[in-house]
Amino acid sequence: MQARIKNPAAALPGAMQAIQALIAATQKSGAPARTLELAHLRASQINGCAACIDYGVRQAKADGETDERLFAVSAWREAPCFDDAERAALALAEAVTRLADSTDPVPDAVWAEAARHYDERVLAALVLWVATTNLFNRVNVATRQIPGAAW
C-alpha cells in the first residue's frame, strides 16, 4: 500500500500546529493520559484507521499501558481490566465516533455515566480528544497513510 498524498495536516502550513495546539490543550485538562489513549484507540478501531491504531498502541505502550488492556479495547464491555471511569470514557468515545449509527448518537445515559466520573473540564477534553482522533482517522483513511510512517 502507498499513501495517496502526504498527510494533509503536514502538507498545509499551520494545519499540524493548530491540531497539535488542540491536542496539547486536551492533555493539560487533567484527563488521565491512559484514558485518553484508550479513547483514541477505540475510535481508531471503529474507523479502521491502521495508522492511528499503530500510533495509539505504540504511544500507550511507551506510557506504560499493558498488552492485556490494549488487546481488550475492542471488547471493553466484556473485559474485566477496565474500571468504571474508563468504561464510561470508552462508551462516550464510541458514541461520539458513531454519530450516524443512531437517531440519538450520544444518549443521555452515556453522557450521564461519563459525567459521574469526570468533571466538565475533563469531559470537554474527552470530547475534543475523540473529535481530534476522528479528524486524524478520516484524514489518514482517505489518503491511505501508512502505519508507522513519519509525517
Side-chain angles (χ1 to χ4, degrees):
M1 188 158 106
Q2 186 174 354
R4 289 176 167 158
I5 63 172
K6 182 178 180 179
N7 189 294
L12 290 179
M16 185 61 82
Q17 294 82 357
I19 296 167
Q20 287 175 331
L22 180 57
I23 290 169
T26 61
Q27 291 173 328
K28 293 176 188 172
S29 69
R34 289 177 77 174
T35 301
L36 294 176
E37 289 165 356
L38 293 173
H40 168 83
L41 182 55
R42 185 63 190 126
S44 298
Q45 289 172 337
I46 291 166
N47 289 324
C49 182
C52 286
I53 292 167
D54 178 75
Y55 175 83
V57 168
R58 290 174 191 273
Q59 185 64 46
K61 285 184 70 109
D63 290 341
E65 190 57 84
T66 67
D67 286 341
E68 174 191 20
R69 286 168 44 93
L70 292 172
F71 295 149
V73 168
S74 64
W76 63 269
R77 285 177 181 81
E78 294 80 22
C81 54
F82 303 107
D83 64 28
D84 289 343
E86 290 167 331
R87 289 176 185 284
L90 286 163
L92 183 61
E94 283 190 1
V96 170
T97 299
R98 294 182 164 162
L99 294 177
D101 290 354
S102 172
T103 57
D104 185 15
V106 183
D108 289 341
V110 169
W111 186 266
E113 183 62 14
R116 193 168 75 81
H117 297 282
Y118 303 107
D119 63 20
E120 186 171 321
R121 182 179 173 92
V122 173
L123 284 170
L126 280 167
V127 169
L128 289 171
W129 183 263
V130 173
T132 305
T133 296
N134 277 276
L135 166 71
F136 273 115
N137 293 165
R138 282 150 176 77
V139 166
N140 291 338
V141 169
T143 61
R144 294 187 180 157
Q145 297 302 303
I146 307 301
W151 293 352

